[in-house]
């Protein structure tokens, strides 16, 4: 990680009708940094990520990538969005296209790159996530964990500067969660700038350079993972972490 601010939210507010979902978010993500965003369901984590890659327009404030404002729907939005990759819970692969074609479609069509060059990169990335053998298979022939790894490769093949992950393992069977998280750990080690929303607390602790705890539309707590998980400063963070711990009920 270096000191360069790559992605920045400044005074970010987002309202849906009368509901204020984000109420003034200031967040600098540095080059090579891994920021994990935690918070209760409905607190605005997805909305924050969606604003970050221009899928939602801020009501107030701004998002900047390398100092350049991202304006949802603006003239440069397509270009900007290519620089910020996003992976969701649902991988949305095209069912009638094989894995390789699913991955190469956007780089060829949107980025106008040569098919041969993109395929070469796609195969290299597929090897890295252990799925090269599946390059000619169709999505229905893959497990959920494999499809999610393909979705990550598809995003990476656009050569983004930043990757956003929104609960990418939430819909997976437990035994497939690990293989997806391992890919993300490897990306972090290679210095990719990442913003991750996850409910996997051990993973969050392992991968994060910094934890952001969101509640009530604001950043309630911001800390290094060790600090956040062993010694949260706010009651709201304590209550949130409590929902992930189990204790034997005392019988008397
Ligand atoms: P989280 O990802 O933390 O669970 P979300 O960002 O998905 O939370 O949602 C935060 C709040 O914003 C919720 O109350 C949700 O209903 C509302 N919301 C999200 N997207 C929209 C939308 N497009 N239109 C109206 N309300 C929305
Ligand atoms: Mg969400």
């Amino acid at each position: 990680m270096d000191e360069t601010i790559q992605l920045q939210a400044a005074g970010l507010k987002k309202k849906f009708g009368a509901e204020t979902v984000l109420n003034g978010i200031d967040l600098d993500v540095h080059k090579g940094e891994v920021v994990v965003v935690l918070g209760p369901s409905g607190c605005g984590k997805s909305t924050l990520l969606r604003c970050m890659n221009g899928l939602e327009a801020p009501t107030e404030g701004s998002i900047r990538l390398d100092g350049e404002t991202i304006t949802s729907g603006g003239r440069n939005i397509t270009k900007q969005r290519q620089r910020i990759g996003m992976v969701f819970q649902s991988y949305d692969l095209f069912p009638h296209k094989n894995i390789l074609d699913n991955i190469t479609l956007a780089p060829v069509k949107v980025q106008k790159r040569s098919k041969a060059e993109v395929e070469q990169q796609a195969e290299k990335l597929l090897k890295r996530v252990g799925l090269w053998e599946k390059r000619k298979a169709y999505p229905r022939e893959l497990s959920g964990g494999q499809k999610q790894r393909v979705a990550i490769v598809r995003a990476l093949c656009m050569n983004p500067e930043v990757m956003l992950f929104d609960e990418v393992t939430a819909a997976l069977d437990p035994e497939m969660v690990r293989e997806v998280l391992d890919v993300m750990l490897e990306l972090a080690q290679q210095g990719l700038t990442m913003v991750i929303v996850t409910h996997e607390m051990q993973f969050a602790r392992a991968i994060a350079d910094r934890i952001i705890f969101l509640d009530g539309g604001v950043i309630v707590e911001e800390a290094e993972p060790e600090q956040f998980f062993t010694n949260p400063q706010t009651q709201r963070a304590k209550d949130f972490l409590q929902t992930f711990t189990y204790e034997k009920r005392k019988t008397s």
Side-chain angles (χ1 to χ4, degrees), residues 242 246-252:
Q242 195 60 41
Y246 291 92
E247 277 162 29
K248 235 181 193 161
R249 295 231 177 124
K250 285 198 183 81
T251 48
S252 55

Side-chain angles (χ1 to χ4, degrees), residues 205-247:
R205 194 167 174 164
I207 199 169
D209 292 310
R210 187 153 50 115
I211 301 281
I212 300 293
F213 177 67
L214 210 63
D215 197 9
V218 295
I219 295 175
V220 171
E221 200 161 328
E222 183 172 343
E224 291 193 354
E226 279 317 297
Q227 157 82 20
F228 182 80
F229 285 105
T230 58
N231 191 17
Q233 298 297 299
T234 61
Q235 192 57 44
R236 278 197 274 179
K238 284 176 196 167
D239 292 344
F240 172 78
L241 288 172
Q242 195 60 41
T243 63
F244 294 92
T245 22
Y246 291 92
E247 277 162 29

